[in-house]
Amino acid sequence: MFKNLLFLCFLFCPLIAFAGSSFRLSDGDLVLKDMSKIEVLDKLGTPLLKDVQSLGIDTGGNIKPGQKVETWSYKLKGSIGGEYLVSITFEGDRIVDITSVQKKN
């Protein structure tokens, strides 16, 4: 029993490790972590919403400018059907995270 449970853990661990690194579109194409903004615009078009945040660092009285994080939001059809709300987060020009939530009817 324990060996079966251990086998299942090793089987599903890679799925957990890749969470947030890709989204498969209805046509089978992928949006992948580390893609550039130009590639995303070419593949998905203009986002519904863009959010830009500048993360600062408080060093005890002085706030140093931090890294700019930009999130683009889309409504997309997924490869397994249905519509998804997809947020793509960029640091600089590259994707660092992709989150998706299936839209309920």
Side-chain angles (χ1 to χ4, degrees), residues 29-77:
D29 207 359
L30 283 170
V31 177
L32 299 167
K33 190 173 181 180
D34 207 39
M35 287 177 70
S36 70
K37 289 180 180 179
I38 296 294
E39 291 172 301
V40 174
L41 284 171
D42 184 50
K43 200 172 285 229
L44 304 178
T46 305
L48 295 173
L49 177 70
K50 285 185 181 181
D51 180 47
V52 180
Q53 296 181 0
S54 181
L55 306 176
I57 301 168
D58 186 354
T59 58
N62 297 336
I63 297 179
K64 295 181 181 179
Q67 196 162 19
K68 184 173 93 167
V69 177
E70 190 169 350
T71 302
W72 294 2
S73 299
Y74 290 91
K75 185 168 68 170
L76 302 170
K77 292 189 186 247

